[in-house]
Amino acid sequence: MVIEILTTYLKVFLVGGIICTIAQLLINYTKITSGRILVYFLLAGVLLQAVGLYQYIVDFGGAGATVPISGFGYLLAKGAMDGAKEGLFGALTGGLSAAAMGVTAAIIFGYLFSLIFKSKSKRN
């Protein structure tokens, strides 16, 4: 039982760590901006799911694969692919339906934290 839990945690941290290491290497050794890296990772999640590879990563790494931004791309693609079974409208709305809970939570928590904390300008 304990060994299974530790193995699961190891897999999650391994997959999440690899994704974060790739991002950090891109930040350190290229001139690609952080915003573009986020977009590339999102698109990588979409493309890997489109060819059927990201599901294997999710099955192996669990939250280590679904929490990073590439996991959001995977979720959008998976929702669109599942929605496409119902037709064109399902394909167009499936991604947003699949990600609705996460987007809603981000909006609600962002609003709540904006009420609690005061934002300050970053000074150079």
Side-chain angles (χ1 to χ4, degrees):
M1 175 88 171
V2 174
I3 299 296
E4 290 177 25
I5 293 171
L6 291 175
T7 304
T8 301
Y9 278 119
L10 182 65
K11 289 179 188 178
V12 168
F13 282 110
L14 179 69
V15 171
I18 289 171
I19 293 171
C20 291
T21 300
I22 293 169
Q24 192 63 51
L25 289 172
L26 289 171
I27 290 169
N28 289 349
Y29 296 110
T30 68
K31 293 184 179 187
I32 304 172
T33 63
S34 298
R36 286 186 185 219
I37 291 171
L38 286 172
V39 171
Y40 293 153
F41 272 60
L42 182 111
L43 292 174
V46 170
L47 292 174
L48 288 172
Q49 177 59 21
V51 297
L53 295 177
Y54 207 85
Q55 187 62 51
Y56 293 115
I57 298 170
V58 169
D59 291 342
F60 178 78
T66 58
V67 171
I69 193 72
S70 56
F72 185 66
Y74 149 78
L75 186 63
L76 290 173
K78 187 173 189 291
M81 291 166 67
D82 291 344
K85 296 173 186 171
E86 300 172 10
L88 180 62
F89 186 72
L92 295 174
T93 60
L96 292 177
S97 296
M101 185 186 312
V103 172
T104 303
I107 292 169
I108 290 171
F109 286 119
Y111 177 71
L112 290 175
F113 282 112
S114 74
L115 295 175
I116 296 170
F117 299 102
K118 300 283 184 195
S119 63
K120 297 177 185 173
S121 297
K122 186 176 180 181
R123 296 184 183 177
N124 293 335

